[in-house]
Amino acid sequence: MNNEPAHEPVCEQVREPVRVKLTVAYDGTAYHGWQFQPQVPTVEGELKRAITELFEEEVVIIGASRTDTGVHALCNVSVFDITTPIPIPKIANALNQRLPEDIRILSSEAVAADFHPRRAKSLKTYQYHILNADFPMPTKRLYQYFTYQYLDVEKMQEAADYLLGEHDFASFCTASPKSRGAALKTTVRTIYEIKVSANKMNEGAEIIITVTGNGFLYNMVRIIAGTLIEVGAGRFSPERVAKILAAKERRQAGPTAPAKGLTLVKYEYLPENESNTNS
Amino acid sequence: MNNEPAHEPVCEQVREPVRVKLTVAYDGTAYHGWQFQPQVPTVEGELKRAITELFEEEVVIIGASRTDTGVHALCNVSVFDITTPIPIPKIANALNQRLPEDIRILSSEAVAADFHPRRAKSLKTYQYHILNADFPMPTKRLYQYFTYQYLDVEKMQEAADYLLGEHDFASFCTASPKSRGAALKTTVRTIYEIKVSANKMNEGAEIIITVTGNGFLYNMVRIIAGTLIEVGAGRFSPERVAKILAAKERRQAGPTAPAKGLTLVKYEYLPENESNTNS
């Protein structure tokens, strides 16, 4: 037997706008990064289009990590405000039907109206993937940086340990481009964990640099990766990383490693920011 | 001091043709399978073009596994005969310079003139990758079959065990298309190992079916995967696989699982075929 009323109740509820938090996974290969730019495909641009199609309304999207061209994400975060009768958790599916296959919304949830994905305290984890073998692997070519030059993983870890804790990471930051607006207030950041691991393969190894911090400067993880590769290849000593940090000069560090090896793998908001409207 | 003679010796060596064995890795996404077809991109077609460019000579290529559109390989094998002054192990690199990034030659070696990559006794290992989660993963979308329907991995392994050993796999073979020529002599094959494993993730799991055999019929691994998915989802009982085998009828088995989840991961020639010219 169907217990639902035959007709919807006639009194219409007055709806308030809701801040919707999206968790977004994407393959960055086809996009000019996260941030909207006219004329070129961007992840935010695709998201904007899908949201406009679904709600027939233009919205402002605030993204957490503004990843570069070719960088991937398993869990980037973004918010927008909407007044809608659609149950908020169902928005993920509705948007996925309007998005290309290389972008997937993993969840949609209501959060406090003042929740800001970049200002709220958080822990971000990035991984940088390196294939250290004789030849690149075709099925991973868009997700790994390849080098046939032998890398010493233990030396890379030794070097990485100098980066642990709170430091001024000015040496690990590309001068902020105009598009990023005003100069940075501070280049001090904290790295809570940085691990260099290796999955041995038939010939060679897949080396993964995993780094967790409270925030990252522009290109910081890629410059860290580029510097650790110099150490692994024997061109820099592990101790040199301490000097690079102290110098606070970009040109002291190694090159910026290619974007495709980088993936944002975790984005955790800290409890003091627990701003889910359910709480 | 340079001990090499100032001039090359004038007597020219008479060169014999050499059978060259290539180990080839590729991302099958962009190709209409391995086998050459005019007008459309195929892995063999690209290889043919690169070999012709390098040696300025057309050759006949014999491939080991004629993978379908969208199927990947870490180590397919092929041979061709050539008379060349280039040291055989260097051919891999020379061809890679002429191949697109989604095809890589991992090695080139001289083998006996009568070595035939399909006729020589071998063990082949395929993997079928399934993402069992709420949403597909954009960075793996071309390498995994996605289903949100919960799959019971233990039941899948129980079902897979019925396939171990020598059987007539007629139920697990797509009727051979005209392009494959004459009817098969036999549909009897031996599976030496079949494992269903799961890597748990935040939500859901990546399920990998790994199967090793002395040979596989057309679409056999994809039909096995499609059948095990039916079992995992609870639509088939594990015991039903025994009946499917006994029926020797394609329509008894589950559907052919999508090509993109399939990768040829290992191709081992058995010792009695040790036909390297060095031995």
Side-chain angles (χ1 to χ4, degrees):
Chain A
M1 212 188 103
N2 188 346
N3 287 317
E4 284 179 42
H7 301 278
E8 290 288 313
V10 282
C11 61
E12 189 152 297
Q13 218 183 311
V14 177
R15 295 189 190 278
E16 296 288 332
V18 174
R19 178 151 287 197
V20 180
K21 176 180 170 229
L22 302 175
T23 303
V24 192
Y26 50 87
D27 181 325
T29 308
Y31 300 100
H32 289 247
W34 167 272
Q35 204 161 11
F36 180 81
Q37 296 174 58
Q39 314 295 347
V40 296
T42 65
V43 180
E44 193 185 22
E46 286 299 308
L47 211 50
K48 237 179 158 54
R49 185 193 45 69
I51 292 172
T52 306
E53 269 178 46
L54 176 61
F55 297 108
E56 297 180 339
E57 186 182 328
E58 284 225 12
V59 299
V60 173
I61 298 173
I62 310 173
S65 179
R66 287 165 293 185
T67 56
D68 272 335
T69 303
V71 172
H72 315 290
L74 303 188
C75 57
N76 209 341
V77 172
S78 60
V79 300
F80 66 98
D81 298 322
I82 199 80
T83 305
T84 176
I86 303 176
I88 305 305
K90 303 229 163 182
I91 291 175
N93 253 322
L95 288 177
N96 281 333
Q97 287 163 21
R98 291 160 174 88
L99 284 166
E101 275 195 335
D102 52 5
I103 304 178
R104 287 295 98 172
I105 311 295
L106 306 187
S107 69
S108 49
E109 45 186 317
V111 290
D114 63 347
F115 174 81
H116 188 292
R118 283 197 303 281
R119 288 184 202 138
K121 270 193 187 163
S122 64
L123 283 182
K124 296 117 193 160
T125 302
Y126 280 92
Q127 283 191 336
Y128 196 87
H129 287 239
I130 301 160
L131 177 64
N132 193 197
D134 289 340
F135 295 101
M137 199 186 289
T139 53
K140 300 268 187 88
R141 72 195 186 284
L142 305 171
Y143 314 103
Q144 292 178 328
Y145 166 66
F146 163 77
T147 179
Y148 57 80
Q149 185 164 33
Y150 173 74
L151 299 180
D152 184 323
V153 174
E154 284 182 30
K155 288 228 167 103
M156 289 171 79
Q157 181 66 64
E158 202 185 320
D161 290 342
Y162 288 102
L163 301 173
L164 266 176
E166 191 184 77
H167 298 283
D168 184 334
F169 283 97
S171 296
F172 295 88
C173 176
T174 298
S176 79
K178 276 178 198 154
S179 67
R180 308 222 156 213
L184 287 166
K185 277 184 212 154
T186 171
T187 45
V188 173
R189 293 291 185 277
T190 302
I191 290 183
Y192 297 103
E193 197 171 9
I194 180 162
K195 268 177 63 181
V196 186
S197 64
N199 300 321
K200 294 273 171 209
M201 301 185 313
N202 266 356
E203 284 160 41
E206 187 190 30
I207 299 173
I208 303 174
I209 302 168
T210 306
V211 52
T212 301
N214 61 355
F216 292 94
L217 303 167
Y218 185 49
N219 279 346
M220 180 166 153
V221 183
R222 288 168 58 191
I223 300 170
I224 288 175
T227 304
L228 296 184
I229 289 167
E230 293 299 288
V231 172
R235 288 184 293 268
F236 285 11
S237 69
E239 306 77 44
R240 183 156 161 189
V241 170
K243 287 177 194 151
I244 294 169
L245 263 179
K248 295 174 197 169
E249 239 187 346
R250 168 66 188 92
R251 67 196 176 87
Q252 299 288 327
T256 305
K260 66 178 184 175
L262 187 63
T263 304
L264 173 63
V265 299
K266 215 168 182 184
Y267 214 112
E268 290 173 283
Y269 287 98
L270 300 176
E272 55 248 71
N273 296 302
E274 200 58 70
S275 47
N276 195 299
T277 50
N278 296 331
S279 68
Chain B
M1 212 188 105
N2 190 345
N3 286 318
E4 284 179 43
H7 300 279
E8 289 289 313
V10 283
C11 62
E12 190 151 298
Q13 217 182 312
V14 178
R15 294 189 190 279
E16 297 288 330
V18 175
R19 177 150 287 198
V20 180
K21 175 179 170 234
L22 302 175
T23 303
V24 191
Y26 49 88
D27 181 325
T29 307
Y31 299 99
H32 289 247
W34 167 272
Q35 205 162 10
F36 181 80
Q37 295 172 58
Q39 314 295 345
V40 296
T42 64
V43 180
E44 193 186 22
E46 286 298 310
L47 211 51
K48 236 176 158 54
R49 185 193 45 70
I51 291 171
T52 306
E53 268 179 47
L54 176 61
F55 297 107
E56 297 177 341
E57 185 181 330
E58 284 225 14
V59 299
V60 172
I61 298 173
I62 310 173
S65 179
R66 287 164 292 185
T67 57
D68 271 335
T69 302
V71 172
H72 315 290
L74 303 188
C75 55
N76 209 341
V77 172
S78 59
V79 300
F80 66 98
D81 297 322
I82 198 82
T83 304
T84 177
I86 303 177
I88 305 305
K90 304 228 164 184
I91 291 176
N93 253 322
L95 288 177
N96 282 332
Q97 286 162 22
R98 289 158 175 89
L99 283 167
E101 275 195 335
D102 50 5
I103 304 176
R104 288 294 99 174
I105 310 297
L106 306 187
S107 70
S108 49
E109 44 185 319
V111 289
D114 62 347
F115 174 79
H116 189 291
R118 284 197 303 279
R119 286 183 203 141
K121 269 194 191 164
S122 65
L123 283 182
K124 297 114 191 163
T125 302
Y126 280 92
Q127 283 191 336
Y128 196 88
H129 286 240
I130 301 162
L131 176 64
N132 193 198
D134 289 339
F135 295 101
M137 199 186 289
T139 53
K140 300 268 188 88
R141 71 194 186 286
L142 305 171
Y143 314 104
Q144 292 177 328
Y145 166 66
F146 163 76
T147 178
Y148 57 79
Q149 185 164 32
Y150 172 73
L151 299 181
D152 185 323
V153 174
E154 285 181 30
K155 289 226 167 104
M156 289 170 78
Q157 180 66 64
E158 203 185 319
D161 289 342
Y162 289 102
L163 302 172
L164 267 174
E166 190 182 78
H167 298 282
D168 184 333
F169 284 97
S171 296
F172 295 88
C173 176
T174 298
S176 78
K178 276 177 198 152
S179 66
R180 306 220 159 216
L184 286 166
K185 276 185 215 153
T186 170
T187 46
V188 173
R189 294 290 184 278
T190 302
I191 290 183
Y192 297 102
E193 196 171 10
I194 178 162
K195 268 177 63 182
V196 186
S197 65
N199 300 320
K200 293 275 171 206
M201 301 185 312
N202 267 354
E203 284 159 43
E206 187 190 29
I207 298 172
I208 303 173
I209 302 167
T210 306
V211 53
T212 301
N214 61 354
F216 293 95
L217 303 166
Y218 186 48
N219 280 345
M220 179 167 154
V221 183
R222 289 168 59 191
I223 300 170
I224 288 175
T227 304
L228 295 184
I229 289 166
E230 293 300 288
V231 172
R235 288 184 293 269
F236 285 10
S237 69
E239 304 78 45
R240 183 156 160 189
V241 170
K243 287 178 195 150
I244 294 169
L245 264 178
K248 296 174 197 168
E249 236 187 348
R250 168 65 188 94
R251 66 195 177 89
Q252 299 288 329
T256 305
K260 66 178 184 175
L262 187 63
T263 303
L264 173 63
V265 299
K266 216 169 182 181
Y267 214 112
E268 290 173 283
Y269 287 98
L270 299 177
E272 56 248 72
N273 296 303
E274 200 60 66
S275 48
N276 195 299
T277 50
N278 297 328
S279 67

